[in-house]
């Protein structure tokens, strides 16, 4: 074998030079790249993993480049939109149905209870003053009326306490009335005891009881009445607004389903897709049920407020004004001029001045009630009460003339006597107002019940139909996907 000669090249980085070779510039030696302190020699550092969202987005983009992928995306979006429509409809209608039920079964009855508390307290005060005027010959009817009013007020307070939150302002007001009620009863019993014995101090105790009633108890009862009315208005505000969120989603769902069917027709020339048609039909039914059902409910609830609650409030106010007027009329004779009130430059008998204020308020309330009455059954008792009030004012003027002329007994006979007295007029006003209240209560319940019933089954029906519509959309798209297999 021939001998092989191995020539060792220089290891220097300086290129060789010599005759016939071009001169090249020197290239400095490059240091070896540093290895990561913890990476094994010769191994690359792993790249950070992408998030699941980013990877899913990439897969979604990749799927959207093919028709089957696009169909899957369309099916998922249609199902999601229909389900969202049903869920929002069920949620909003559940809230409105609950508020409508509260109007009928909770807040309005409690508002009426609060008005009854006020009326019972005012009537008890009136009955106490009437009995006092009779002296030792207080009638059993007067005594029974007083006791019945006190029991009614106590029972209504217990009911109101059971239906109010422990930390609410209403609970504090109820507790205050529960504390003041026995104090008032004690003062009335002392007044009666001294009156039967002929001691004039009995009148002072009755005036003190009346002061406690008018300055502490009735303002607290009025505050409770206002709070319960606010609660009633809040329930109406929750029950009547249109569910715009659900309506908007329903329109969006129908528009998306129509677009999907149009797209399907353009690509396949097929007019109908049974699944998409079924989904469109269910969404249409839910949307129509939602709009029509809520419109009927809203109309019923608005009618119950306009022709029920408003009339009830005015009639309650009228009845309270008549009770206060009767109480002040009696106390005018009890006080016998001991209490005066200065108005401007003039001085008046305090209780007679309050009577005139209350009877004027009664006239205003009766005029409002007559305007709100929308049928003969509601208008007739109000008209009769107006006539009773007019006669009451005439008889009161005659009684005041006798009292101011020093004829106390004749004045007393005209107030609590046996014939053509102011007491008869007061009783007639009260009875007619009770009749009007019963009529308006019936009207309220009828309209509010119609409104609540219009929402019956809407929440559950919307949820079930939405699930069926979503299933129809998925099956309709699935039918198209099967053509690609």
């Amino acid at each position: 074998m021939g001998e092989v000669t191995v020539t060792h090249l220089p290891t220097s980085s300086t290129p060789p030079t010599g005759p016939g070779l071009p001169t090249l510039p020197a290239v400095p030696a490059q240091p070896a790249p540093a290895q990561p302190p913890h990476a094994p020699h010769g191994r690359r550092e792993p790249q950070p993993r992408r998030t699941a969202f980013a990877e899913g987005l990439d897969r979604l983009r990749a799927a959207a480049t093919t028709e089957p992928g696009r169909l899957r995306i369309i099916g998922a979006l249609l199902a999601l939109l229909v389900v969202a429509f049903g869920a929002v409809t069920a949620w909003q209608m559940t809230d409105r149905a609950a508020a409508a039920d509260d109007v009928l079964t909770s807040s309005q009855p409690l508002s009426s209870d609060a008005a009854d508390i006020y009326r019972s307290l005012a009537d008890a005060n009136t009955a106490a003053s009437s009995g006092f005027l009779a002296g030792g010959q207080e009638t059993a009817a007067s005594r029974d009326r007083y006791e019945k009013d006190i029991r009614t007020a106590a029972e209504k307070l217990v009911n109101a306490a059971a239906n109010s939150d422990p930390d609410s302002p209403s609970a504090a007001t109820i507790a205050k009335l529960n504390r003041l009620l026995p104090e008032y009863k004690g003062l009335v019993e002392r007044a009666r005891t001294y009156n039967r014995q002929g001691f004039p101090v009995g009148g002072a105790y009755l005036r003190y009881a009346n002061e406690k009633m008018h300055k502490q108890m009735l303002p607290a009862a009025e505050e409770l009445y206002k709070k319960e009315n606010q609660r009633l208005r809040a329930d109406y505000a929750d029950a009547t607004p249109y569910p715009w969120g659900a309506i908007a989603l329903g329109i969006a769902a129908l528009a998306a389903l129509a677009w999907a069917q149009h797209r399907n027709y353009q690509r396949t020339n097929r007019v109908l897709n049974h699944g998409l048609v079924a989904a469109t039909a269910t969404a249409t039914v839910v949307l129509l049920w939602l709009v029509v059902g809520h419109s009927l409910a809203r109309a019923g609830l608005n009618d119950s407020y306009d022709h029920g609650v408003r009339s009830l409030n005015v009639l309650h106010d009228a009845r309270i004004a008549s009770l206060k007027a009767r109480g002040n009329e009696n106390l005018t004779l009890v006080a016998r001029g001991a209490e005066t009130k200065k108005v401007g430059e003039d001085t008046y008998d305090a209780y007679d001045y309050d009577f005139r204020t209350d009877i004027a308020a009664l006239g205003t309330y009766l005029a409002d009630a007559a305007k709100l009455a929308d049928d003969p059954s509601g208008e007739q008792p109000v008209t009769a009460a107006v006539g009773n009030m007019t006669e009451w004012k005439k008889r009161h003027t005659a009684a005041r003339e006798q009292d101011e002329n020093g004829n106390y007994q004749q004045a007393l006979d005209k107030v609590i006597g046996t014939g053509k007295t102011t007491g008869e007029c007061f009783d007639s006003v009260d009875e007619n107002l009770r009749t009007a209240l019963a009529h308006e209560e019936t009207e309220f319940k009828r309209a509010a019940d119609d409104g609540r019933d219009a929402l019956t089954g809407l929440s559950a029906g919307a949820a079930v139909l939405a699930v069926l519509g979503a299933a129809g959309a998925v099956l309709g798209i699935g039918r198209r996907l099967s053509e690609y297999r």
Side-chain angles (χ1 to χ4, degrees):
M1 294 179 62
E3 187 175 335
V4 178
T5 302
V6 179
T7 303
H8 293 280
L9 297 175
T11 60
S12 172
S13 60
T14 303
T17 58
L21 292 176
T23 303
L24 299 175
V27 179
Q30 298 292 329
Q35 294 292 332
H38 300 292
H41 182 70
R43 178 189 256 179
R44 281 187 169 183
E45 183 179 6
Q47 294 295 324
R49 183 183 175 124
R50 303 181 65 202
T51 64
F53 176 77
E55 292 178 353
L57 196 59
D58 286 342
R59 286 195 294 269
L60 189 62
R61 287 197 191 100
T65 61
T66 64
E67 180 61 13
R70 285 191 288 268
L71 287 173
R72 290 188 181 94
I73 294 171
I74 291 171
L77 291 177
L78 288 176
L80 181 62
L81 194 56
V82 173
V83 168
F85 170 43
V88 173
T89 299
W91 165 53
Q92 292 191 320
M93 288 300 97
T94 298
D95 286 348
R96 282 159 177 75
D101 186 68
D102 286 342
V103 164
L104 185 62
T105 62
S106 179
S107 52
Q108 196 283 326
L110 285 176
S111 177
S112 291
D113 282 349
D116 285 341
I117 290 171
Y118 194 115
R119 185 203 60 78
S120 297
L121 292 175
D123 194 49
N125 198 53
T126 298
S129 60
S130 296
F132 188 91
L133 286 175
Q137 291 77 36
E138 180 182 5
T139 63
S142 176
R143 178 77 183 189
D144 290 343
R145 181 170 182 167
Y146 168 81
E147 295 293 344
K148 180 181 178 182
D149 287 331
I150 293 296
R151 285 195 304 271
T152 299
E155 291 170 358
K156 298 292 184 179
L157 284 171
V158 170
N159 188 45
N163 289 279
S164 62
D165 295 330
D167 298 329
S168 66
S170 294
T173 303
I174 293 167
K176 180 181 179 180
L177 286 169
N178 277 323
R179 175 177 57 81
L180 291 172
L181 187 59
E183 295 177 7
Y184 171 80
K185 288 179 62 180
L187 291 171
V188 171
E189 291 306 319
R190 288 186 183 182
R192 282 174 168 165
T193 300
Y194 287 122
N195 189 45
R196 282 194 295 267
Q197 296 174 2
F199 296 149
V201 72
Y205 271 107
L206 186 64
R207 290 195 298 273
Y208 186 32
N210 180 73
E211 183 179 359
K212 182 178 285 292
M213 175 64 74
H214 280 272
K215 292 187 177 180
Q216 297 183 57
M217 299 177 71
L218 289 182
E222 184 177 9
E223 181 183 2
L224 179 63
Y225 177 52
K226 289 180 179 178
K227 287 173 181 175
E228 294 302 335
N229 267 342
Q230 289 174 356
R231 178 178 172 183
L232 175 60
R233 286 193 293 270
D235 285 337
Y236 269 105
D238 290 339
T240 54
Y242 272 108
W244 293 117
I247 292 173
L249 276 173
I251 294 173
L254 286 176
L257 287 165
W259 171 83
Q261 290 176 86
H262 180 67
R263 181 181 185 277
N264 182 57
Y265 172 74
Q266 286 183 322
R267 281 164 172 73
T268 65
N269 212 26
R270 295 171 185 167
V271 177
L272 297 177
N273 178 291
H274 293 165
L276 294 179
V277 169
T280 304
T282 56
T284 302
V285 169
V286 173
L287 184 59
L288 289 175
W289 190 2
L290 171 65
V291 173
V292 175
H294 187 269
S295 296
L296 291 174
R298 180 186 173 93
L301 290 170
N302 285 338
D303 184 56
S304 72
Y305 186 84
D306 292 336
H307 302 292
V309 173
R310 290 178 62 196
S311 294
L312 287 170
N313 288 342
V314 170
L315 290 169
H316 280 307
D317 290 339
R319 199 174 185 194
I320 289 167
S322 72
L323 288 165
K324 291 168 68 176
R326 179 59 177 172
N328 284 318
E329 182 179 51
N330 291 339
L331 286 167
T332 302
L333 295 176
V334 172
R336 297 188 182 185
E339 300 284 344
T340 59
K341 178 177 290 188
K342 191 172 182 64
V343 181
E345 298 297 326
D346 300 323
T347 301
Y348 300 91
D349 183 287
Y351 295 113
D352 187 55
Y353 181 85
D354 290 339
F355 166 83
R356 295 179 187 278
T357 302
D358 294 331
I359 208 74
L362 173 61
T364 301
Y365 291 135
L366 288 176
D368 292 341
K371 292 177 183 177
L372 291 171
D374 58 346
D375 58 11
S377 298
E379 187 177 359
Q380 189 275 330
V382 175
T383 303
V386 172
N388 300 144
M389 179 196 67
T390 303
E391 183 63 25
W392 184 2
K393 289 161 65 175
K394 292 179 181 178
R395 294 182 184 181
H396 174 82
T397 300
R400 293 302 303 140
E401 288 176 356
Q402 293 293 332
D403 190 33
E404 289 170 356
N405 291 330
N407 301 321
Y408 177 78
Q409 188 58 48
Q410 287 86 341
L412 187 63
D413 290 342
K414 289 183 178 298
V415 174
I416 62 168
T418 56
K420 293 186 177 181
T421 63
T422 59
E424 289 180 349
C425 296
F426 161 72
D427 289 338
S428 296
V429 169
D430 193 65
E431 183 61 31
N432 281 309
L433 288 176
R434 182 185 291 111
T435 301
L437 280 166
H439 172 75
E440 297 301 334
E441 188 81 24
T442 301
E443 291 293 297
F444 161 79
K445 288 181 178 178
R446 177 193 56 76
D449 195 54
D450 289 344
R452 183 186 63 174
D453 290 347
L455 299 176
T456 302
L458 180 52
S459 299
V464 172
L465 288 174
V467 171
L468 294 176
V474 171
L475 290 174
I477 296 297
R479 178 67 176 170
R480 285 281 293 116
L481 282 171
S482 66
E483 298 172 0
Y484 289 87
R485 294 170 188 159

